[in-house]
Amino acid sequence: NAGVTQTPKFQVLKTGQSMTLQCAQDMNHNSMYWYRQDPGMGLRLIYYSASEGTTDKGEVPNGYNVSRLNKREFSLRLESAAPSQTSVYFCAISQAGTTDTQYFGPGTRLTVL
Amino acid sequence: RKEVEQDPGPFNVPEGATVAFNCTYSNSASQSFFWYRQDCRKEPKLLMSVYSSGNEDGRFTAQLNRASQYISLLIRDSKLSDSATYLCAVNTKSNYQLIWGAGTKLIIKP
């Protein structure tokens, strides 16, 4: 039972390149989230998906797009990477909203040069 | 003022001591409160949910003070393995958005 998996674990991009971060869960939870974590700042929500078929913007959505492919998978795309997007990206899941525990994936460390 | 604030620390505490830290929040309508633990270069993991009546789990006690808008975490008989960063999270008016503090770093020394 892997819980929440993320790929890749590390990535280095050049400014302007694109990439997709993948997240998959085997806990059958309804809600999925993408966060970024920067030094000295709290986790910031980029996008979330309350349930399969829906996605919504979080606090910092600019420069990102998401796809909820099915109940298990939620991907985050950077269309044209910028150095300001250098961060650690976490995918998280919960059964239903903020009253429930969020379970996190191991994270993706992204550097944009 | 940030929506959720924590003292970044670090708190340097000898093994066996008791340590407490707070997390203040600005939205008086918040209903869900959590403490998460994050080890270095790892993902956050739930430590405790915080209930209105307060709750205890072994050496850990969490409390909510609605009047002053903060939650607290008390760790008794601290262990070396308690060294980590402790994040607080508070919900917003949206059912799907938590606001996170930047974390308090705790270092337990032998």
PDB file of all heavy atoms in Angstrom, chain A residues 31 33 35 37 40-43 45 48 50 90 97-99 101-102 104-105 109, chain B residues 32 34 36 38 41-44 46 87 91 94-98 100-102:
ATOM      1  N   SER A  31     -10.475  13.710  -2.534  1.00  0.00           N
ATOM      2  CA  SER A  31      -9.882  15.025  -2.778  1.00  0.00           C
ATOM      3  C   SER A  31      -8.374  14.932  -2.935  1.00  0.00           C
ATOM      4  O   SER A  31      -7.711  14.187  -2.218  1.00  0.00           O
ATOM      5  CB  SER A  31     -10.214  15.982  -1.625  1.00  0.00           C
ATOM      6  OG  SER A  31     -11.612  16.056  -1.428  1.00  0.00           O
ATOM      7  N   TYR A  33      -4.718  17.424  -3.879  1.00  0.00           N
ATOM      8  CA  TYR A  33      -4.190  18.789  -3.771  1.00  0.00           C
ATOM      9  C   TYR A  33      -2.761  18.843  -4.299  1.00  0.00           C
ATOM     10  O   TYR A  33      -2.016  17.880  -4.178  1.00  0.00           O
ATOM     11  CB  TYR A  33      -4.147  19.235  -2.302  1.00  0.00           C
ATOM     12  CG  TYR A  33      -5.416  18.989  -1.511  1.00  0.00           C
ATOM     13  CD1 TYR A  33      -5.685  17.737  -0.975  1.00  0.00           C
ATOM     14  CD2 TYR A  33      -6.322  20.013  -1.284  1.00  0.00           C
ATOM     15  CE1 TYR A  33      -6.843  17.494  -0.255  1.00  0.00           C
ATOM     16  CE2 TYR A  33      -7.482  19.789  -0.553  1.00  0.00           C
ATOM     17  CZ  TYR A  33      -7.730  18.525  -0.038  1.00  0.00           C
ATOM     18  OH  TYR A  33      -8.879  18.306   0.685  1.00  0.00           O
ATOM     19  N   TYR A  35       0.542  21.345  -3.598  1.00  0.00           N
ATOM     20  CA  TYR A  35       1.125  22.429  -2.820  1.00  0.00           C
ATOM     21  C   TYR A  35       2.542  22.699  -3.298  1.00  0.00           C
ATOM     22  O   TYR A  35       3.210  21.816  -3.823  1.00  0.00           O
ATOM     23  CB  TYR A  35       1.242  22.045  -1.341  1.00  0.00           C
ATOM     24  CG  TYR A  35      -0.036  21.947  -0.564  1.00  0.00           C
ATOM     25  CD1 TYR A  35      -0.653  20.718  -0.361  1.00  0.00           C
ATOM     26  CD2 TYR A  35      -0.606  23.076   0.029  1.00  0.00           C
ATOM     27  CE1 TYR A  35      -1.812  20.619   0.401  1.00  0.00           C
ATOM     28  CE2 TYR A  35      -1.764  22.985   0.794  1.00  0.00           C
ATOM     29  CZ  TYR A  35      -2.357  21.751   0.973  1.00  0.00           C
ATOM     30  OH  TYR A  35      -3.494  21.663   1.740  1.00  0.00           O
ATOM     31  N   GLN A  37       6.179  24.300  -1.435  1.00  0.00           N
ATOM     32  CA  GLN A  37       6.754  24.696  -0.157  1.00  0.00           C
ATOM     33  C   GLN A  37       8.084  25.389  -0.400  1.00  0.00           C
ATOM     34  O   GLN A  37       8.989  24.808  -1.001  1.00  0.00           O
ATOM     35  CB  GLN A  37       6.956  23.480   0.762  1.00  0.00           C
ATOM     36  CG  GLN A  37       7.411  23.866   2.168  1.00  0.00           C
ATOM     37  CD  GLN A  37       7.496  22.668   3.106  1.00  0.00           C
ATOM     38  OE1 GLN A  37       7.906  21.583   2.715  1.00  0.00           O
ATOM     39  NE2 GLN A  37       7.090  22.860   4.373  1.00  0.00           N
ATOM     40  N   GLY A  40      10.939  29.260   4.651  1.00  0.00           N
ATOM     41  CA  GLY A  40      10.391  30.376   5.416  1.00  0.00           C
ATOM     42  C   GLY A  40       8.925  30.657   5.162  1.00  0.00           C
ATOM     43  O   GLY A  40       8.358  31.586   5.730  1.00  0.00           O
ATOM     44  N   MET A  41       8.315  29.840   4.313  1.00  0.00           N
ATOM     45  CA  MET A  41       6.897  30.043   4.011  1.00  0.00           C
ATOM     46  C   MET A  41       6.141  28.760   4.273  1.00  0.00           C
ATOM     47  O   MET A  41       6.703  27.665   4.194  1.00  0.00           O
ATOM     48  CB  MET A  41       6.718  30.465   2.551  1.00  0.00           C
ATOM     49  CG  MET A  41       7.483  31.721   2.189  1.00  0.00           C
ATOM     50  SD  MET A  41       7.147  32.267   0.536  1.00  0.00           S
ATOM     51  CE  MET A  41       5.507  32.928   0.734  1.00  0.00           C
ATOM     52  N   GLY A  42       4.875  28.900   4.566  1.00  0.00           N
ATOM     53  CA  GLY A  42       4.054  27.714   4.742  1.00  0.00           C
ATOM     54  C   GLY A  42       3.750  27.059   3.415  1.00  0.00           C
ATOM     55  O   GLY A  42       4.003  27.624   2.343  1.00  0.00           O
ATOM     56  N   LEU A  43       3.216  25.868   3.488  1.00  0.00           N
ATOM     57  CA  LEU A  43       2.717  25.231   2.276  1.00  0.00           C
ATOM     58  C   LEU A  43       1.660  26.137   1.647  1.00  0.00           C
ATOM     59  O   LEU A  43       0.790  26.656   2.341  1.00  0.00           O
ATOM     60  CB  LEU A  43       2.077  23.880   2.626  1.00  0.00           C
ATOM     61  CG  LEU A  43       3.039  22.791   3.080  1.00  0.00           C
ATOM     62  CD1 LEU A  43       2.296  21.728   3.871  1.00  0.00           C
ATOM     63  CD2 LEU A  43       3.707  22.165   1.863  1.00  0.00           C
ATOM     64  N   LEU A  45      -1.257  26.359  -1.394  1.00  0.00           N
ATOM     65  CA  LEU A  45      -2.071  25.540  -2.273  1.00  0.00           C
ATOM     66  C   LEU A  45      -2.056  26.116  -3.683  1.00  0.00           C
ATOM     67  O   LEU A  45      -2.372  27.291  -3.894  1.00  0.00           O
ATOM     68  CB  LEU A  45      -3.500  25.470  -1.733  1.00  0.00           C
ATOM     69  CG  LEU A  45      -4.477  24.580  -2.478  1.00  0.00           C
ATOM     70  CD1 LEU A  45      -4.054  23.118  -2.382  1.00  0.00           C
ATOM     71  CD2 LEU A  45      -5.883  24.759  -1.908  1.00  0.00           C
ATOM     72  N   TYR A  48      -6.537  22.381  -6.381  1.00  0.00           N
ATOM     73  CA  TYR A  48      -7.077  21.198  -5.743  1.00  0.00           C
ATOM     74  C   TYR A  48      -8.208  20.629  -6.588  1.00  0.00           C
ATOM     75  O   TYR A  48      -8.758  21.312  -7.469  1.00  0.00           O
ATOM     76  CB  TYR A  48      -7.551  21.502  -4.311  1.00  0.00           C
ATOM     77  CG  TYR A  48      -8.739  22.438  -4.206  1.00  0.00           C
ATOM     78  CD1 TYR A  48     -10.033  21.935  -4.075  1.00  0.00           C
ATOM     79  CD2 TYR A  48      -8.561  23.822  -4.214  1.00  0.00           C
ATOM     80  CE1 TYR A  48     -11.117  22.783  -3.962  1.00  0.00           C
ATOM     81  CE2 TYR A  48      -9.643  24.676  -4.102  1.00  0.00           C
ATOM     82  CZ  TYR A  48     -10.910  24.166  -3.969  1.00  0.00           C
ATOM     83  OH  TYR A  48     -11.985  25.019  -3.860  1.00  0.00           O
ATOM     84  N   ALA A  50     -11.647  18.629  -5.618  1.00  0.00           N
ATOM     85  CA  ALA A  50     -12.507  18.145  -4.545  1.00  0.00           C
ATOM     86  C   ALA A  50     -12.974  16.716  -4.814  1.00  0.00           C
ATOM     87  O   ALA A  50     -13.120  15.918  -3.887  1.00  0.00           O
ATOM     88  CB  ALA A  50     -13.701  19.070  -4.374  1.00  0.00           C
ATOM     89  N   PHE A  90       4.449  19.231  -3.304  1.00  0.00           N
ATOM     90  CA  PHE A  90       3.827  18.095  -2.635  1.00  0.00           C
ATOM     91  C   PHE A  90       2.413  17.887  -3.170  1.00  0.00           C
ATOM     92  O   PHE A  90       1.641  18.835  -3.296  1.00  0.00           O
ATOM     93  CB  PHE A  90       3.733  18.327  -1.128  1.00  0.00           C
ATOM     94  CG  PHE A  90       5.047  18.238  -0.405  1.00  0.00           C
ATOM     95  CD1 PHE A  90       5.701  19.391   0.003  1.00  0.00           C
ATOM     96  CD2 PHE A  90       5.612  17.006  -0.124  1.00  0.00           C
ATOM     97  CE1 PHE A  90       6.904  19.317   0.677  1.00  0.00           C
ATOM     98  CE2 PHE A  90       6.824  16.918   0.554  1.00  0.00           C
ATOM     99  CZ  PHE A  90       7.472  18.081   0.951  1.00  0.00           C
ATOM    100  N   GLY A  97     -12.267  17.068   2.023  1.00  0.00           N
ATOM    101  CA  GLY A  97     -12.137  18.431   2.487  1.00  0.00           C
ATOM    102  C   GLY A  97     -11.260  18.633   3.701  1.00  0.00           C
ATOM    103  O   GLY A  97     -10.538  17.742   4.138  1.00  0.00           O
ATOM    104  N   THR A  98     -11.329  19.831   4.264  1.00  0.00           N
ATOM    105  CA  THR A  98     -10.365  20.228   5.282  1.00  0.00           C
ATOM    106  C   THR A  98     -10.677  19.696   6.670  1.00  0.00           C
ATOM    107  O   THR A  98      -9.905  19.920   7.591  1.00  0.00           O
ATOM    108  CB  THR A  98     -10.281  21.762   5.354  1.00  0.00           C
ATOM    109  OG1 THR A  98     -11.593  22.284   5.651  1.00  0.00           O
ATOM    110  CG2 THR A  98      -9.776  22.357   4.062  1.00  0.00           C
ATOM    111  N   THR A  99     -11.769  18.974   6.826  1.00  0.00           N
ATOM    112  CA  THR A  99     -12.015  18.398   8.141  1.00  0.00           C
ATOM    113  C   THR A  99     -11.262  17.086   8.319  1.00  0.00           C
ATOM    114  O   THR A  99     -11.220  16.527   9.408  1.00  0.00           O
ATOM    115  CB  THR A  99     -13.519  18.135   8.356  1.00  0.00           C
ATOM    116  OG1 THR A  99     -13.978  17.276   7.295  1.00  0.00           O
ATOM    117  CG2 THR A  99     -14.305  19.424   8.328  1.00  0.00           C
ATOM    118  N   THR A 101      -7.853  14.394   7.626  1.00  0.00           N
ATOM    119  CA  THR A 101      -6.406  14.305   7.524  1.00  0.00           C
ATOM    120  C   THR A 101      -5.977  14.391   6.077  1.00  0.00           C
ATOM    121  O   THR A 101      -6.586  13.776   5.199  1.00  0.00           O
ATOM    122  CB  THR A 101      -5.926  12.961   8.093  1.00  0.00           C
ATOM    123  OG1 THR A 101      -6.360  12.849   9.437  1.00  0.00           O
ATOM    124  CG2 THR A 101      -4.410  12.843   8.017  1.00  0.00           C
ATOM    125  N   GLN A 102      -4.917  15.158   5.850  1.00  0.00           N
ATOM    126  CA  GLN A 102      -4.307  15.164   4.524  1.00  0.00           C
ATOM    127  C   GLN A 102      -3.062  14.276   4.573  1.00  0.00           C
ATOM    128  O   GLN A 102      -2.237  14.386   5.478  1.00  0.00           O
ATOM    129  CB  GLN A 102      -3.945  16.592   4.105  1.00  0.00           C
ATOM    130  CG  GLN A 102      -5.179  17.434   3.842  1.00  0.00           C
ATOM    131  CD  GLN A 102      -4.895  18.707   3.066  1.00  0.00           C
ATOM    132  OE1 GLN A 102      -3.780  18.977   2.645  1.00  0.00           O
ATOM    133  NE2 GLN A 102      -5.930  19.522   2.868  1.00  0.00           N
ATOM    134  N   PHE A 104       0.310  13.127   2.493  1.00  0.00           N
ATOM    135  CA  PHE A 104       1.191  13.731   1.502  1.00  0.00           C
ATOM    136  C   PHE A 104       2.062  12.701   0.798  1.00  0.00           C
ATOM    137  O   PHE A 104       2.446  11.680   1.387  1.00  0.00           O
ATOM    138  CB  PHE A 104       2.121  14.748   2.179  1.00  0.00           C
ATOM    139  CG  PHE A 104       1.439  16.021   2.583  1.00  0.00           C
ATOM    140  CD1 PHE A 104       0.672  16.080   3.732  1.00  0.00           C
ATOM    141  CD2 PHE A 104       1.560  17.156   1.798  1.00  0.00           C
ATOM    142  CE1 PHE A 104       0.019  17.256   4.098  1.00  0.00           C
ATOM    143  CE2 PHE A 104       0.928  18.339   2.160  1.00  0.00           C
ATOM    144  CZ  PHE A 104       0.151  18.383   3.303  1.00  0.00           C
ATOM    145  N   GLY A 105       2.378  13.008  -0.438  1.00  0.00           N
ATOM    146  CA  GLY A 105       3.393  12.262  -1.151  1.00  0.00           C
ATOM    147  C   GLY A 105       4.771  12.721  -0.719  1.00  0.00           C
ATOM    148  O   GLY A 105       4.904  13.693   0.028  1.00  0.00           O
ATOM    149  N   ARG A 109      11.412  17.782  -5.878  1.00  0.00           N
ATOM    150  CA  ARG A 109      12.281  18.964  -5.752  1.00  0.00           C
ATOM    151  C   ARG A 109      12.601  19.474  -7.143  1.00  0.00           C
ATOM    152  O   ARG A 109      13.275  18.790  -7.905  1.00  0.00           O
ATOM    153  CB  ARG A 109      13.551  18.603  -4.997  1.00  0.00           C
ATOM    154  CG  ARG A 109      13.271  18.230  -3.574  1.00  0.00           C
ATOM    155  CD  ARG A 109      14.507  17.932  -2.752  1.00  0.00           C
ATOM    156  NE  ARG A 109      14.078  17.668  -1.381  1.00  0.00           N
ATOM    157  CZ  ARG A 109      13.879  18.595  -0.473  1.00  0.00           C
ATOM    158  NH1 ARG A 109      14.117  19.862  -0.756  1.00  0.00           N
ATOM    159  NH2 ARG A 109      13.459  18.284   0.736  1.00  0.00           N
TER     160      ARG A 109
ATOM    161  N   SER B  32     -11.455  24.042  11.610  1.00  0.00           N
ATOM    162  CA  SER B  32     -10.598  22.850  11.647  1.00  0.00           C
ATOM    163  C   SER B  32      -9.161  23.276  11.888  1.00  0.00           C
ATOM    164  O   SER B  32      -8.671  24.207  11.236  1.00  0.00           O
ATOM    165  CB  SER B  32     -10.682  22.087  10.327  1.00  0.00           C
ATOM    166  OG  SER B  32     -12.000  21.661  10.073  1.00  0.00           O
ATOM    167  N   PHE B  34      -5.087  21.736  12.858  1.00  0.00           N
ATOM    168  CA  PHE B  34      -4.251  20.551  12.847  1.00  0.00           C
ATOM    169  C   PHE B  34      -2.814  20.913  13.205  1.00  0.00           C
ATOM    170  O   PHE B  34      -2.338  22.011  12.905  1.00  0.00           O
ATOM    171  CB  PHE B  34      -4.232  19.915  11.444  1.00  0.00           C
ATOM    172  CG  PHE B  34      -5.588  19.602  10.886  1.00  0.00           C
ATOM    173  CD1 PHE B  34      -6.267  20.535  10.123  1.00  0.00           C
ATOM    174  CD2 PHE B  34      -6.174  18.372  11.115  1.00  0.00           C
ATOM    175  CE1 PHE B  34      -7.517  20.251   9.600  1.00  0.00           C
ATOM    176  CE2 PHE B  34      -7.422  18.076  10.597  1.00  0.00           C
ATOM    177  CZ  PHE B  34      -8.097  19.011   9.844  1.00  0.00           C
ATOM    178  N   TYR B  36       0.871  19.202  12.204  1.00  0.00           N
ATOM    179  CA  TYR B  36       1.595  18.237  11.399  1.00  0.00           C
ATOM    180  C   TYR B  36       3.065  18.291  11.801  1.00  0.00           C
ATOM    181  O   TYR B  36       3.581  19.326  12.228  1.00  0.00           O
ATOM    182  CB  TYR B  36       1.481  18.556   9.906  1.00  0.00           C
ATOM    183  CG  TYR B  36       0.196  18.112   9.265  1.00  0.00           C
ATOM    184  CD1 TYR B  36      -0.996  18.786   9.507  1.00  0.00           C
ATOM    185  CD2 TYR B  36       0.156  17.007   8.410  1.00  0.00           C
ATOM    186  CE1 TYR B  36      -2.184  18.377   8.925  1.00  0.00           C
ATOM    187  CE2 TYR B  36      -1.029  16.586   7.818  1.00  0.00           C
ATOM    188  CZ  TYR B  36      -2.187  17.287   8.085  1.00  0.00           C
ATOM    189  OH  TYR B  36      -3.360  16.876   7.498  1.00  0.00           O
ATOM    190  N   GLN B  38       6.967  17.601  10.303  1.00  0.00           N
ATOM    191  CA  GLN B  38       7.734  17.430   9.069  1.00  0.00           C
ATOM    192  C   GLN B  38       9.206  17.236   9.429  1.00  0.00           C
ATOM    193  O   GLN B  38       9.843  18.130   9.984  1.00  0.00           O
ATOM    194  CB  GLN B  38       7.573  18.637   8.136  1.00  0.00           C
ATOM    195  CG  GLN B  38       8.246  18.435   6.784  1.00  0.00           C
ATOM    196  CD  GLN B  38       7.946  19.545   5.794  1.00  0.00           C
ATOM    197  OE1 GLN B  38       7.659  20.678   6.194  1.00  0.00           O
ATOM    198  NE2 GLN B  38       7.989  19.239   4.507  1.00  0.00           N
ATOM    199  N   ARG B  41      13.545  17.325   4.891  1.00  0.00           N
ATOM    200  CA  ARG B  41      13.473  16.823   3.516  1.00  0.00           C
ATOM    201  C   ARG B  41      12.451  15.688   3.337  1.00  0.00           C
ATOM    202  O   ARG B  41      12.582  14.861   2.438  1.00  0.00           O
ATOM    203  CB  ARG B  41      14.850  16.383   3.035  1.00  0.00           C
ATOM    204  CG  ARG B  41      15.864  17.522   3.052  1.00  0.00           C
ATOM    205  CD  ARG B  41      17.217  17.062   2.570  1.00  0.00           C
ATOM    206  NE  ARG B  41      17.264  16.867   1.133  1.00  0.00           N
ATOM    207  CZ  ARG B  41      17.475  17.821   0.242  1.00  0.00           C
ATOM    208  NH1 ARG B  41      17.652  19.073   0.640  1.00  0.00           N
ATOM    209  NH2 ARG B  41      17.505  17.538  -1.045  1.00  0.00           N
ATOM    210  N   LYS B  42      11.454  15.687   4.212  1.00  0.00           N
ATOM    211  CA  LYS B  42      10.388  14.696   4.100  1.00  0.00           C
ATOM    212  C   LYS B  42       9.043  15.406   3.974  1.00  0.00           C
ATOM    213  O   LYS B  42       8.956  16.627   4.084  1.00  0.00           O
ATOM    214  CB  LYS B  42      10.366  13.804   5.355  1.00  0.00           C
ATOM    215  CG  LYS B  42      11.622  12.994   5.550  1.00  0.00           C
ATOM    216  CD  LYS B  42      11.712  11.871   4.541  1.00  0.00           C
ATOM    217  CE  LYS B  42      12.852  10.931   4.879  1.00  0.00           C
ATOM    218  NZ  LYS B  42      12.937   9.813   3.891  1.00  0.00           N
ATOM    219  N   GLU B  43       8.006  14.620   3.765  1.00  0.00           N
ATOM    220  CA  GLU B  43       6.680  15.190   3.657  1.00  0.00           C
ATOM    221  C   GLU B  43       6.058  15.414   5.033  1.00  0.00           C
ATOM    222  O   GLU B  43       6.403  14.720   5.993  1.00  0.00           O
ATOM    223  CB  GLU B  43       5.768  14.263   2.821  1.00  0.00           C
ATOM    224  CG  GLU B  43       5.372  12.960   3.491  1.00  0.00           C
ATOM    225  CD  GLU B  43       6.353  11.843   3.283  1.00  0.00           C
ATOM    226  OE1 GLU B  43       7.549  12.117   2.996  1.00  0.00           O
ATOM    227  OE2 GLU B  43       5.929  10.682   3.430  1.00  0.00           O
ATOM    228  N   PRO B  44       5.117  16.343   5.148  1.00  0.00           N
ATOM    229  CA  PRO B  44       4.402  16.529   6.423  1.00  0.00           C
ATOM    230  C   PRO B  44       3.533  15.311   6.727  1.00  0.00           C
ATOM    231  O   PRO B  44       2.976  14.677   5.825  1.00  0.00           O
ATOM    232  CB  PRO B  44       3.521  17.766   6.155  1.00  0.00           C
ATOM    233  CG  PRO B  44       4.122  18.436   4.970  1.00  0.00           C
ATOM    234  CD  PRO B  44       4.717  17.352   4.144  1.00  0.00           C
ATOM    235  N   LEU B  46       0.431  14.034   9.652  1.00  0.00           N
ATOM    236  CA  LEU B  46      -0.458  14.486  10.715  1.00  0.00           C
ATOM    237  C   LEU B  46       0.043  14.027  12.076  1.00  0.00           C
ATOM    238  O   LEU B  46       0.325  12.847  12.281  1.00  0.00           O
ATOM    239  CB  LEU B  46      -1.882  13.963  10.487  1.00  0.00           C
ATOM    240  CG  LEU B  46      -2.875  14.387  11.564  1.00  0.00           C
ATOM    241  CD1 LEU B  46      -3.175  15.882  11.427  1.00  0.00           C
ATOM    242  CD2 LEU B  46      -4.149  13.568  11.493  1.00  0.00           C
ATOM    243  N   LEU B  87       4.269  21.985  11.943  1.00  0.00           N
ATOM    244  CA  LEU B  87       3.446  22.872  11.138  1.00  0.00           C
ATOM    245  C   LEU B  87       2.026  22.911  11.679  1.00  0.00           C
ATOM    246  O   LEU B  87       1.472  21.860  12.019  1.00  0.00           O
ATOM    247  CB  LEU B  87       3.379  22.385   9.686  1.00  0.00           C
ATOM    248  CG  LEU B  87       4.683  22.038   8.976  1.00  0.00           C
ATOM    249  CD1 LEU B  87       4.376  21.457   7.589  1.00  0.00           C
ATOM    250  CD2 LEU B  87       5.551  23.266   8.845  1.00  0.00           C
ATOM    251  N   ASN B  91      -8.286  25.748   8.632  1.00  0.00           N
ATOM    252  CA  ASN B  91      -9.096  25.839   7.417  1.00  0.00           C
ATOM    253  C   ASN B  91      -9.578  27.277   7.215  1.00  0.00           C
ATOM    254  O   ASN B  91      -9.587  28.095   8.119  1.00  0.00           O
ATOM    255  CB  ASN B  91     -10.268  24.866   7.446  1.00  0.00           C
ATOM    256  CG  ASN B  91     -11.396  25.344   8.338  1.00  0.00           C
ATOM    257  OD1 ASN B  91     -11.154  25.924   9.391  1.00  0.00           O
ATOM    258  ND2 ASN B  91     -12.615  25.115   7.901  1.00  0.00           N
ATOM    259  N   SER B  94     -13.346  28.160   2.721  1.00  0.00           N
ATOM    260  CA  SER B  94     -13.502  27.074   1.754  1.00  0.00           C
ATOM    261  C   SER B  94     -13.325  25.733   2.456  1.00  0.00           C
ATOM    262  O   SER B  94     -12.478  25.585   3.322  1.00  0.00           O
ATOM    263  CB  SER B  94     -12.464  27.208   0.653  1.00  0.00           C
ATOM    264  OG  SER B  94     -12.306  25.986  -0.034  1.00  0.00           O
ATOM    265  N   ASN B  95     -14.088  24.764   2.051  1.00  0.00           N
ATOM    266  CA  ASN B  95     -13.968  23.442   2.652  1.00  0.00           C
ATOM    267  C   ASN B  95     -12.744  22.681   2.188  1.00  0.00           C
ATOM    268  O   ASN B  95     -12.482  21.594   2.677  1.00  0.00           O
ATOM    269  CB  ASN B  95     -15.212  22.610   2.328  1.00  0.00           C
ATOM    270  CG  ASN B  95     -16.401  23.064   3.130  1.00  0.00           C
ATOM    271  OD1 ASN B  95     -16.254  23.597   4.216  1.00  0.00           O
ATOM    272  ND2 ASN B  95     -17.576  22.871   2.586  1.00  0.00           N
ATOM    273  N   TYR B  96     -12.025  23.223   1.247  1.00  0.00           N
ATOM    274  CA  TYR B  96     -10.915  22.464   0.678  1.00  0.00           C
ATOM    275  C   TYR B  96      -9.582  23.189   0.779  1.00  0.00           C
ATOM    276  O   TYR B  96      -8.597  22.733   0.227  1.00  0.00           O
ATOM    277  CB  TYR B  96     -11.215  22.108  -0.787  1.00  0.00           C
ATOM    278  CG  TYR B  96     -12.361  21.142  -0.880  1.00  0.00           C
ATOM    279  CD1 TYR B  96     -13.654  21.599  -1.047  1.00  0.00           C
ATOM    280  CD2 TYR B  96     -12.152  19.779  -0.759  1.00  0.00           C
ATOM    281  CE1 TYR B  96     -14.712  20.712  -1.099  1.00  0.00           C
ATOM    282  CE2 TYR B  96     -13.190  18.885  -0.814  1.00  0.00           C
ATOM    283  CZ  TYR B  96     -14.472  19.349  -0.983  1.00  0.00           C
ATOM    284  OH  TYR B  96     -15.516  18.477  -1.028  1.00  0.00           O
ATOM    285  N   GLN B  97      -9.556  24.281   1.482  1.00  0.00           N
ATOM    286  CA  GLN B  97      -8.305  25.028   1.560  1.00  0.00           C
ATOM    287  C   GLN B  97      -7.869  25.193   2.998  1.00  0.00           C
ATOM    288  O   GLN B  97      -8.563  25.795   3.824  1.00  0.00           O
ATOM    289  CB  GLN B  97      -8.466  26.397   0.899  1.00  0.00           C
ATOM    290  CG  GLN B  97      -8.789  26.312  -0.580  1.00  0.00           C
ATOM    291  CD  GLN B  97      -8.546  27.612  -1.318  1.00  0.00           C
ATOM    292  OE1 GLN B  97      -7.554  28.278  -1.106  1.00  0.00           O
ATOM    293  NE2 GLN B  97      -9.459  27.962  -2.202  1.00  0.00           N
ATOM    294  N   LEU B  98      -6.700  24.638   3.270  1.00  0.00           N
ATOM    295  CA  LEU B  98      -6.043  24.875   4.550  1.00  0.00           C
ATOM    296  C   LEU B  98      -5.010  25.975   4.373  1.00  0.00           C
ATOM    297  O   LEU B  98      -4.385  26.073   3.320  1.00  0.00           O
ATOM    298  CB  LEU B  98      -5.335  23.609   5.043  1.00  0.00           C
ATOM    299  CG  LEU B  98      -6.192  22.442   5.512  1.00  0.00           C
ATOM    300  CD1 LEU B  98      -5.319  21.243   5.823  1.00  0.00           C
ATOM    301  CD2 LEU B  98      -7.038  22.831   6.705  1.00  0.00           C
ATOM    302  N   TRP B 100      -1.481  27.233   5.983  1.00  0.00           N
ATOM    303  CA  TRP B 100      -0.415  26.614   6.763  1.00  0.00           C
ATOM    304  C   TRP B 100       0.519  27.653   7.348  1.00  0.00           C
ATOM    305  O   TRP B 100       0.857  28.641   6.692  1.00  0.00           O
ATOM    306  CB  TRP B 100       0.396  25.669   5.869  1.00  0.00           C
ATOM    307  CG  TRP B 100      -0.390  24.519   5.350  1.00  0.00           C
ATOM    308  CD1 TRP B 100      -1.293  24.538   4.337  1.00  0.00           C
ATOM    309  CD2 TRP B 100      -0.344  23.182   5.822  1.00  0.00           C
ATOM    310  NE1 TRP B 100      -1.817  23.287   4.154  1.00  0.00           N
ATOM    311  CE2 TRP B 100      -1.256  22.424   5.049  1.00  0.00           C
ATOM    312  CE3 TRP B 100       0.383  22.525   6.823  1.00  0.00           C
ATOM    313  CZ2 TRP B 100      -1.455  21.060   5.249  1.00  0.00           C
ATOM    314  CZ3 TRP B 100       0.190  21.169   7.024  1.00  0.00           C
ATOM    315  CH2 TRP B 100      -0.726  20.462   6.238  1.00  0.00           C
ATOM    316  N   GLY B 101       0.932  27.389   8.577  1.00  0.00           N
ATOM    317  CA  GLY B 101       2.024  28.179   9.127  1.00  0.00           C
ATOM    318  C   GLY B 101       3.335  27.727   8.499  1.00  0.00           C
ATOM    319  O   GLY B 101       3.419  26.658   7.908  1.00  0.00           O
ATOM    320  N   ALA B 102       4.354  28.567   8.672  1.00  0.00           N
ATOM    321  CA  ALA B 102       5.669  28.263   8.098  1.00  0.00           C
ATOM    322  C   ALA B 102       6.430  27.230   8.926  1.00  0.00           C
ATOM    323  O   ALA B 102       7.459  26.724   8.472  1.00  0.00           O
ATOM    324  CB  ALA B 102       6.482  29.536   7.938  1.00  0.00           C
TER     325      ALA B 102
END
